[in-house]
Amino acid sequence: MDRNPSPPCSDAEEEEGDAVGNTVYSKHWLFSVLTRLIEVIAPAEPDPAVSPEGGRTELDEEMENDICKVWDMSMDEDVALFLQEFNAPDIFMGVFAKSKCPRLTEICVGILGNMACFQDICMSISKDENLGQVLLQRLCDSDSPTLLETSRLLLTCLSQPEVANVWVERIRENPSVYDCVCFIMSSSTNVELLVKVGEVVDKLFDLDEELMLNWIKSGTCHSVGPSVDDSPEELPDFKIVPCILEAAKQVRSDNPEGLDVYMHILQLLTTVDEGIQAIVQAPDGGKETWSLLYELVCQELCQPDDPPIIVQEQKTVLASILSVLSAMFASQTEQEYTRMRKSKSYFFLLIRILQYMEGCGRRAVENSKESEQEETGKTDVNEEDFHLKILKDICCELLSNMLQELTKENTLEGLHQGHLNEQTCSCAFQNLLPLYSASVESFLEVLREADQTLADNLEKRFPSLKVHT
């Protein structure tokens, strides 16, 4: 079935007292479906549809249609509260424990996910330790739809401040969650699932640095998975960085939002020394990470034939990628792949981004004047300014580091290709001065060897540089 059927038309309004809250859904009908669900997982008599090993493996069409209707109806708060009063979470616990039907498990987790959207119910579900443990075990399921609904449920709970810490602590105490998440990221081809799992990881790392540190170290402390060699010399199957990269490769073409999520996870890793080391001290010395980010920023994002407004659309993913590149460049400048011979394309890209941002900045000012009397419009512009400022700061930091690495050969090549000229250099200097004056002066010395006239013109345009030259 491609989608859940629509909720049923009910005659509840014709039976006084049978309606669920302010809805037209029938209490009696819901009772009957939940009762039949109990019978499915604990039949009174042997059922020919049950497998020899025990447990129904498939739902009959009528039962599937009805339980899917409950799934849709559970988005209504009155229905969700009624299900909670009827102890539906306990019934679902029985399903998770006894059912061998993947579709039934998926639907029950999905219903819980809808119920968890309401704060009081979410608190009740979250505080149930047994249910919490069982739900985390669903992450080890082999059924992608069930994994997707489990991830949605976890993200819903982690997004509610009242219970987020409960789930963080629970996950921290369950090492198997790390193994299951890494397995999904490294092996799944289901883009929707990868995006949702990525959102869960991103939220976890953002909420709790200690958990992030534990997961960074997990890949270097033990081997996991049934196929891993027991030899202590064998590298573990799951390290967090390769798993993130593999997932990013899967989502990059089909889901820009998903790529944004995984790049932000990498950026969060670089906020701690252990995370940077996990990236640059991988068996390949970080080359795979650098190569992926190189492809993204130099071949896919913010290209020369894109309109300047593209920087607005890509500002968050660009900020994350450039932040990771900056951390890698600063930590591993001795690595061959980070040398300017290989990474000069970044330099020209950074200048292009700064040029685009100048256009966006002028447009934002114009929009701000137009919406001066509209509070919502002003808020949106301020938020855009905030994100663009972050991107600009990251660009300038990385650009200043790269300026110091430019050689005469790189500079001559840039001049020949038209990437370096008075306009682009002025844009770079305008953004870098005075904070990164040392980097600008270093580059100016190299530029003087390659193009004395251009260097002189820039000195005239930026008088503060003359004092030091």
Side-chain angles (χ1 to χ4, degrees):
M1 300 178 68
D2 293 331
R3 63 178 300 276
N4 299 332
S6 299
C9 295
S10 173
D11 297 327
E13 55 189 355
E14 299 179 5
E15 302 179 27
E16 188 175 351
D18 188 48
V20 177
N22 294 320
T23 73
V24 296
Y25 304 132
S26 166
K27 291 180 181 178
H28 177 76
W29 184 85
L30 279 167
F31 272 127
S32 68
V33 174
L34 292 174
T35 300
R36 287 159 54 206
L37 179 58
I38 295 172
E39 293 174 352
V40 167
I41 59 176
E45 298 180 3
D47 191 325
V50 173
S51 67
E53 294 80 12
R56 184 186 293 267
T57 57
E58 294 184 4
L59 283 174
D60 63 66
E61 185 175 352
E62 181 182 0
M63 183 62 193
E64 181 170 354
N65 284 336
D66 285 346
I67 196 66
C68 280
K69 290 173 184 176
V70 176
W71 189 357
D72 280 344
M73 292 163 61
S74 63
M75 291 186 289
D76 186 288
E77 186 172 9
D78 286 333
V79 174
L81 288 169
F82 176 81
L83 291 172
Q84 185 187 29
E85 292 170 4
F86 193 72
N87 295 323
D90 291 339
I91 297 174
F92 299 152
M93 281 269 285
V95 171
F96 302 148
K98 299 179 181 180
S99 174
K100 296 185 181 296
C101 175
R103 178 61 171 161
L104 180 58
T105 302
E106 173 204 354
I107 295 169
C108 290
V109 177
I111 294 173
L112 276 176
N114 284 349
M115 294 172 65
C117 292
F118 306 104
Q119 183 177 334
D120 290 344
I121 300 177
C122 185
M123 292 181 68
S124 176
I125 291 173
S126 300
K127 291 179 180 178
D128 187 328
E129 186 61 29
N130 290 332
L131 179 57
Q133 296 295 337
V134 168
L135 287 172
L136 291 183
Q137 291 173 12
R138 293 299 95 210
L139 287 173
C140 299
D141 206 295
S142 59
D143 180 59
S144 290
T146 298
L147 289 171
L148 177 59
E149 294 308 319
T150 303
S151 301
R152 281 176 172 160
L153 171 57
L154 289 176
L155 185 61
T156 298
C157 294
L158 289 168
S159 299
Q160 299 207 25
E162 297 80 8
V163 299
N165 288 339
V166 174
W167 286 98
V168 169
E169 183 65 27
R170 189 173 285 148
I171 291 170
R172 192 190 298 141
E173 294 174 352
N174 281 268
S176 63
V177 173
Y178 168 85
D179 297 339
C180 295
V181 167
C182 283
F183 179 76
I184 294 169
M185 291 194 297
S186 62
S187 62
S188 178
T189 57
N190 185 319
V191 171
E192 190 177 6
L193 171 59
L194 287 171
V195 172
K196 196 58 61 177
V197 167
E199 290 174 346
V200 171
V201 174
D202 189 42
K203 192 68 175 178
L204 283 170
F205 286 3
D206 195 40
L207 285 170
D208 193 80
E209 185 177 293
E210 181 184 346
L211 183 142
M212 181 172 70
L213 288 169
N214 289 343
W215 282 24
I216 291 170
K217 297 172 184 177
S218 291
T220 59
C221 294
H222 63 88
S223 296
V224 294
S227 62
V228 175
D229 192 333
D230 291 332
S231 170
E233 290 78 25
E234 188 75 19
L235 287 172
D237 273 358
F238 297 132
K239 291 185 179 180
I240 191 68
V241 172
C243 294
I244 293 169
L245 294 178
E246 188 59 38
K249 293 174 186 177
Q250 287 290 331
V251 305
R252 61 188 287 189
S253 300
D254 299 322
N255 196 299
E257 293 79 11
L259 179 63
D260 199 342
V261 168
Y262 279 99
M263 293 302 100
H264 190 254
I265 295 173
L266 281 177
Q267 182 183 6
L268 286 173
L269 291 181
T270 64
T271 61
V272 295
D273 289 340
E274 293 86 347
I276 297 175
Q277 296 308 309
I279 293 173
V280 300
Q281 291 185 356
D284 64 355
K287 187 174 181 179
E288 184 179 0
T289 303
W290 186 270
S291 296
L292 174 61
L293 301 186
Y294 181 92
E295 291 175 11
L296 290 173
V297 297
C298 294
Q299 299 175 18
E300 297 182 20
L301 300 173
C302 201
Q303 296 302 292
D305 55 348
D306 288 332
I309 193 65
I310 196 71
V311 78
Q312 287 274 21
E313 299 174 7
Q314 299 175 351
K315 58 184 177 294
T316 56
V317 67
L318 280 170
S320 295
I321 292 174
L322 295 179
S323 181
V324 177
L325 288 171
S326 183
M328 295 182 71
F329 195 87
S331 299
Q332 289 287 93
T333 51
E334 75 278 6
Q335 288 288 346
E336 192 272 342
Y337 63 81
T338 65
R339 293 174 188 162
M340 286 308 303
R341 184 171 61 83
K342 293 288 187 181
S343 57
K344 60 182 180 294
S345 296
Y346 287 137
F347 175 79
F348 305 130
L349 171 78
L350 293 171
I351 295 179
R352 182 164 68 247
I353 291 174
L354 290 172
Q355 288 179 305
Y356 283 4
M357 289 177 67
E358 287 183 351
C360 290
R362 288 192 294 270
R363 188 174 293 106
V365 171
E366 294 171 0
N367 291 340
S368 181
K369 291 179 180 178
E370 292 175 2
S371 61
E372 190 170 349
Q373 303 301 321
E374 301 176 12
E375 192 64 30
T376 301
K378 288 169 65 179
T379 300
D380 290 343
V381 170
N382 289 336
E383 185 177 351
E384 291 293 333
D385 286 347
F386 173 75
H387 289 296
L388 286 172
K389 183 180 184 305
I390 292 175
L391 176 57
K392 177 182 175 181
D393 290 346
I394 294 170
C395 275
C396 289
E397 180 181 3
L398 181 54
L399 182 60
S400 70
N401 288 332
M402 289 188 166
L403 275 177
Q404 298 182 70
E405 299 296 321
L406 276 177
T407 64
K408 180 180 178 181
E409 178 187 5
N410 302 143
T411 304
L412 285 169
E413 183 178 357
L415 291 167
H416 177 71
Q417 293 175 347
H419 296 307
L420 282 180
N421 51 48
E422 188 167 347
Q423 181 184 13
T424 57
C425 289
S426 295
C427 176
F429 287 13
Q430 183 72 39
N431 285 279
L432 293 175
L433 293 172
L435 185 60
Y436 298 104
S437 57
S439 297
V440 174
E441 291 164 8
S442 172
F443 168 67
L444 198 58
E445 289 297 324
V446 175
L447 181 61
R448 186 174 287 106
E449 296 180 19
D451 190 329
Q452 180 71 49
T453 302
L454 177 56
D456 290 342
N457 289 341
L458 289 170
E459 280 189 334
K460 293 176 183 177
R461 191 162 185 172
F462 298 90
S464 62
L465 295 173
K466 290 185 177 181
V467 176
H468 306 285
T469 59

